[in-house]
C-alpha cells in the first residue's frame, strides 16, 4: 500500500478522534459551561447531525475542485473547528463549533474513499478503503482515552487544543504524500450528481448501510449497562472490555476489505449475515462474563467487516460524475444508522422487553438489509435477462 494511503489514514484518525473525544469530557464540559450532563451529551448528537447535513453540502460545494485540494480544505475546516471548540466561551458557541467541525467528516471519508481506490491496483480497491478506515477504527479505540486524559489533568479545552494539533499534523502529511489529481474531476452539473442518487442500486446501498449500523449501534450504545447490569462486571471493567471491541473493529475492517476485493457481492451477503448471527447469539451471552467479552469483540469485528463491502458497493454503483457525492452520502448513512440505532435500543429498554432483548431485536435489522440486497440482485438479474430480448425482438420469436 502506498504512503499516500496512510496519509489518508492519518486524516481519518484525526477526524475520527474529534467525533468521540467529547464522550469522556461530559462532566467537565457541563460543570465549566453551566449545563447539565444530558445537555452536554447533545454535543455528540449535534456532531452527528453536522455529519449528515455537511456530507452532501460540502461535497456539492467542492465538486469541481481537485480532490487533493478538497481533502486539504476539509482538514483546514477540521483544524479551525477544533480550535474554535477550545476557545468557545459558552455552550452554544461550542455546539456551533462542533457542528462546523462535523461538516468536514462525511466529505473527507467520501472523497477520501474515491482517492484511496485510485492509489492502488483494481483488485485492491476495497482493501485500500479498509486501510483508510483503519484510522477511524483506531480513533474509536483511542478517542475517548485520548480526550479524557488531558481533559482531566489540564481542563477540557486542552483536549481540543491537542486535537487541533492532530489536525495540523494530518494536514501536513496529506499535503506531502497524497499526489495531485492525474486528471480533473469529471465535469458535471448538480442535476447530474443528484441523478446518481436516484439509481436503484445506489439507494439500496445507502439504505443497507443505514440498516446494518442501526443493528450495531442499538447494542453498542447500551453495551456498558449490559456489561454491568446483566453480565455483572464492575464499572472499572467496562473500558478494558471496550478495547476488545476496538480490536474487533480493526480486524473486521481489514478482513472485510480483503474479502470484498475478491468477492464483493458474496462478502456483502456474508458480512451482513454474520452481523445478524452475532447479534442474535449475543442474547444468550449476556449473563456469562466470558461469553460476553467474546461477543463484544465479535460485534466489533462483524460490524466493521461490513464497511468496506458497503462503501465499495456504493462506489461501483455510483460510478461517474456523482461518485464522490454518493460516497459522502454513504458516510452520512453510517451516522444516520448510529442515531437510529441508539433510539431503537432506548425504545426497547423503555417500551419493550428491556435491556436483555436489545441484541436479538437489533439482529433483525441487518437481516432486513440482507433481504433488501438479495431483492436488488434479483431485480438486476431479471433486468439483465430482459434487456437482450428487448434489444433483439426476433430472439423472442
Amino acid at each position: 500500500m502506498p504512503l499516500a494511503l496512510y496519509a489518508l489514514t492519518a486524516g481519518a484518525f484525526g477526524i475520527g478522534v474529534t467525533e468521540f473525544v467529547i464522550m469522556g469530557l461530559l462532566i467537565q464540559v457541563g460543570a465549566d459551561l453551566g449545563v447539565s450532563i444530558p445537555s452536554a451529551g447533545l454535543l455528540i448528537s449535534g456532531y452527528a447531525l453536522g455529519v449528515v447535513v455537511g456530507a452532501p453540502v460540502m461535497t456539492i460545494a467542492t465538486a469541481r475542485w481537485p480532490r487533493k485540494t478538497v481533502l486539504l480544505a476539509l482538514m483546514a475546516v477540521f483544524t479551525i473547528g477544533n480550535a474554535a471548540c477550545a476557545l468557545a466561551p459558552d455552550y452554544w458557541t461550542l455546539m456551533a463549533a462542533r457542528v462546523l467541525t462535523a461538516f468536514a467528516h462525511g466529505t473527507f471519508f467520501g472523497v477520501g474513499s474515491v482517492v484511496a481506490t485510485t492509489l492502488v491496483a483494481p483488485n485492491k480497491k476495497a482493501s485500500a478503503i479498509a486501510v483508510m478506515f483503519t484510522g477511524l477504527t483506531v480513533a474509536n479505540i483511542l478517542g475517548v482515552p485520548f480526550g479524557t486524559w488531558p481533559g482531566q489533568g489540564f481542563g477540557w479545552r486542552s483536549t481540543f487544543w491537542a486535537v487541533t494539533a492532530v489536525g495540523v499534523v494530518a494536514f501536513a502529511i496529506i499535503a506531502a504524500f497524497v499526489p495531485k489529481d492525474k486528471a480533473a474531476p469529471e465535469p458535471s452539473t448538480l442535476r447530474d450528481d443528484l441523478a446518481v442518487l436516484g439509481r436503484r442500486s445506489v439507494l439500496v446501498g445507502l439504505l443497507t448501510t443505514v440498516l446494518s449500523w442501526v443493528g450495531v449501534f442499538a447494542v453498542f450504545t447500551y453495551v456498558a449497562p449490559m456489561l454491568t447490569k446483566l453480565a455483572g462486571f464492575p464499572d472499572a471493567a467496562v473500558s478494558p472490555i471496550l478495547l476488545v471491541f476496538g480490536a474487533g473493529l480493526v480486524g473486521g475492517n481489514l478482513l472485510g476489505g480483503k474479502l470484498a476485493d475478491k468477492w464483493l457481492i458474496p462478502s456483502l451477503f456474508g458480512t451482513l449475515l454474520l452481523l445478524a448471527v452475532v447479534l442474535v447469539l449475543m442474547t444468550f451471552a449476556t449473563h456469562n462474563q466470558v461469553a460476553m467479552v467474546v461477543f463484544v469483540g465479535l460485534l466489533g469485528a462483524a460490524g466493521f467487516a461490513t464497511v468496506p463491502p458497503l462503501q465499495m458497493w456504493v462506489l461501483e454503483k455510483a460510478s461517474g460524475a456523482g461518485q464522490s457525492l454518493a460516497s459522502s452520502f454513504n458516510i452520512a448513512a453510517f451516522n444516520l444508522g448510529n442515531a437510529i440505532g441508539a433510539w431503537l435500543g432506548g425504545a426497547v429498554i423503555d417500551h419493550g422487553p428491556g435491556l436483555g432483548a436489545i441484541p436479538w431485536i437489533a439482529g433483525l435489522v441487518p437481516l432486513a438489509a440482507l433481504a433488501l440486497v438479495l431483492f436488488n440482485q434479483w431485480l438486476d438479474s431479471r433486468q439483465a435477462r430482459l434487456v437482450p430480448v428487448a434489444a433483439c425482438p426476433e430472439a423472442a420469436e
Side-chain angles (χ1 to χ4, degrees):
M1 294 292 176
L3 281 175
L5 188 56
Y6 295 103
L8 293 175
T9 304
F13 172 77
I15 289 181
V17 163
T18 205
E19 179 175 11
F20 303 109
V21 78
I22 194 71
M23 294 179 183
L25 302 172
L26 296 182
I27 295 175
Q28 291 88 342
V29 170
D32 187 46
L33 299 181
V35 298
S36 66
I37 291 177
S39 294
L42 291 177
L43 293 166
I44 299 170
S45 302
Y47 186 95
L49 180 62
V51 174
V52 173
V53 175
V57 170
M58 294 295 286
T59 305
I60 290 170
T62 59
R64 296 179 180 273
W65 297 11
R67 287 177 179 140
K68 180 175 181 177
T69 303
V70 173
L71 294 174
L72 290 173
L74 294 171
M75 288 309 304
V77 170
F78 163 83
T79 304
I80 293 168
N82 277 289
C85 289
L87 296 169
D90 54 49
Y91 173 78
W92 289 110
T93 305
L94 179 58
M95 176 67 81
R98 288 278 294 169
V99 173
L100 169 67
T101 309
F103 265 51
H105 186 120
T107 304
F108 182 89
F109 282 99
V111 175
S113 295
V114 176
V115 173
T117 61
T118 67
L119 298 173
V120 296
N123 65 337
K124 292 186 178 290
K125 288 185 175 183
S127 290
I129 291 173
V131 169
M132 190 190 81
F133 272 83
T134 300
L136 182 61
T137 61
V138 174
N140 268 279
I141 303 170
L142 300 180
V144 176
F146 178 90
T148 304
W149 176 73
Q152 290 178 342
F154 306 100
W156 65 269
R157 296 178 191 275
S158 66
T159 294
F160 284 102
W161 284 122
V163 178
T164 301
V166 171
V168 172
V169 172
F171 182 96
I173 293 173
I174 290 172
F177 293 108
V178 173
K180 293 182 178 179
D181 297 40
K182 295 179 180 179
E186 186 176 338
S188 64
T189 64
L190 177 58
R191 184 176 180 179
D192 292 335
D193 288 346
L194 294 176
V196 172
L197 299 176
R199 296 178 187 173
R200 169 173 45 81
S201 292
V202 172
L203 289 174
V204 167
L206 297 176
L207 183 55
T208 302
T209 297
V210 173
L211 292 174
S212 63
W213 279 76
V214 166
V216 173
F217 263 75
V219 172
F220 182 61
T221 304
Y222 300 97
V223 71
M226 290 174 67
L227 290 170
T228 55
K229 294 183 178 181
L230 299 180
F233 283 103
D235 291 343
V238 173
S239 292
I241 293 173
L242 290 182
L243 291 176
V244 177
F245 178 82
L249 291 181
V250 176
N253 176 50
L254 295 175
L255 178 61
K258 290 185 178 298
L259 292 174
D261 277 332
K262 294 182 178 180
W263 312 285
L264 178 57
I265 300 303
S267 69
L268 184 58
F269 291 156
T271 53
L272 288 172
L273 181 59
L274 175 63
L275 176 58
V277 170
V278 167
L279 287 168
V280 171
L281 292 181
M282 194 175 186
T283 307
F284 305 100
T286 53
H287 295 285
N288 183 292
Q289 292 188 344
V290 174
M292 193 61 178
V293 172
V294 171
F295 270 91
V296 167
L298 289 175
L299 175 62
F304 247 82
T306 65
V307 172
L310 286 168
Q311 191 72 1
M312 197 65 219
W313 162 283
V314 171
L315 286 175
E316 283 199 354
K317 300 301 182 181
S319 59
Q323 190 179 50
S324 293
L325 181 61
S327 181
S328 298
F329 259 99
N330 203 43
I331 303 302
F334 282 113
N335 283 267
L336 182 59
N338 297 353
I340 297 173
W343 169 84
L344 175 62
V348 172
I349 294 172
D350 292 337
H351 308 291
L355 185 63
I358 292 177
W360 72 262
I361 292 176
L364 300 177
V365 187
L367 281 179
L370 179 60
L372 183 65
V373 175
L374 286 169
F375 181 63
N376 185 75
Q377 289 299 106
W378 177 79
L379 289 177
D380 281 349
S381 62
R382 181 173 180 270
Q383 187 176 17
R385 290 195 303 270
L386 292 175
V387 166
V389 174
C392 304
E394 64 276 6
E397 297 177 359

